[in-house]
Amino acid sequence: MPEFDLVIFDCDGVLIDSELISARMLVAELAEWGVNIDLDYVARHFLGRSYPVVISQIRKEFGLELPPEFEADYRTRLLAAFDAELVEMPGVRAVIESLSIPFCVATSSSPPRVKRALEIVDMSALFEDRVWTASEVEFGKPAPDLFLHAAAKMQVVPERCLVIEDSLNGVRSGLAANMSVWQFTGGSHMQGTSFDGPDIPRPHRRFASFEDFYHPVPTLQKTGT
């Protein structure tokens, strides 16, 4: 028997190679408001976090109160960029289709964004109604709320859940939920990233290719695949 009863996938940076697109877009949008940040700043402060948290950080760090229309304009341009550039993460579809246990998505993205992103890469049918977003909980990542919410919806105890995350905040969230956490480091936004330092959370495993997904726990894969 597998040692897990549920796999919870993050979306951005795990299912889809979207984080670099999002980071570039946010840097460009904020520059028009006089906020000059780089991709490293985005990775440190924004990766894996919900839009309200990002806006709160901008307000705190730069003293800028963005207008209400900023979010809608940013999301419109971002989805246009997704239409042009977004691709699924290599190998992830084969993993999902051969899992021997249930799976779902828990993401900091807004419902419209994750819905459209999964449509673009033709993954909507894989997850159907098993997509949970930070809009459904009080505290987003790195708090454990979202992963605990997903586990409750799927009727699985946290200790039997495996979280697949890319961001440090996502890793922190999964660990805080008392779940096993594997950090996927193969996204384009993770290239050259260092995982050394006292403040870096320690997942139970790191892997850079979905071709290696099943190696530690082969019972997660359906027999005959």
Side-chain angles (χ1 to χ4, degrees), residues 159-174:
E159 295 79 7
R160 297 285 296 177
C161 295
L162 172 62
V163 168
I164 312 300
E165 263 286 357
D166 64 310
S167 72
L168 297 181
N169 284 315
V171 172
R172 292 185 181 101
S173 178

Side-chain angles (χ1 to χ4, degrees), residues 1 7 48 52 85 87 107 115 124 158 167 170 192 207 209:
M1 293 290 292
V7 180
E85 304 177 50
V87 295
T107 174
K115 180 178 183 294
S124 300
S167 72
F207 68 106
S209 171

